[in-house]
Amino acid sequence: MTEDLKIGSHENVVRIENLSAGEKNLLGFLVYAKSISSGVMFIDEPELTLHVDWQRHLLGVLREIAPDIQIFAATHAPAIWSAYPDKEVWLDQQLVI
């Protein structure tokens, strides 16, 4: 039950159901990335519920906490793809990032 799921220290507990959609989404990305030691992580439009500041830092943080995973992200967010111009992929004259 989600009502029993909490994060934080004993004095500063936050119930998961009190998090915003973006916070829940971010927490899901972080927990998943930390739970796998190697492999591939596919993320489709991670920006949908994230504040633009979180978008800027998401892939960098994921790479820090899980350095041995390969991340593929499909995004429309300039805050995400502009940080990785060397990682762009073109398919049939369409930019794929």
Side-chain angles (χ1 to χ4, degrees):
M1 290 176 103
T2 58
E3 60 205 70
D4 296 326
L5 189 56
K6 302 170 188 169
I7 56 174
S9 66
H10 181 70
E11 300 82 29
N12 206 6
V13 171
V14 176
R15 293 183 170 283
I16 297 297
E17 66 266 15
N18 292 336
L19 297 177
S20 70
E23 291 167 330
K24 290 177 186 174
N25 197 21
L26 182 60
L27 182 60
F29 290 142
L30 299 175
V31 168
Y32 181 75
K34 191 64 178 171
S35 71
I36 59 175
S37 58
S38 63
V40 179
M41 183 175 183
F42 292 92
I43 308 172
D44 184 28
E45 298 183 347
E47 71 274 7
L48 292 182
T49 59
L50 298 182
H51 186 277
V52 71
D53 288 337
W54 294 0
Q55 292 175 19
R56 284 188 193 103
H57 298 289
L58 176 64
L59 296 181
V61 169
L62 292 176
R63 292 176 73 197
E64 278 183 40
I65 65 172
D68 295 327
I69 66 171
Q70 188 172 12
I71 301 169
F72 290 88
T75 182
H76 301 280
I80 295 175
W81 57 259
S82 65
Y84 302 94
D86 59 323
K87 306 296 184 207
E88 297 172 351
V89 177
W90 288 84
L91 297 176
D92 193 19
Q93 299 183 351
Q94 294 292 323
L95 176 61
V96 179
I97 299 175

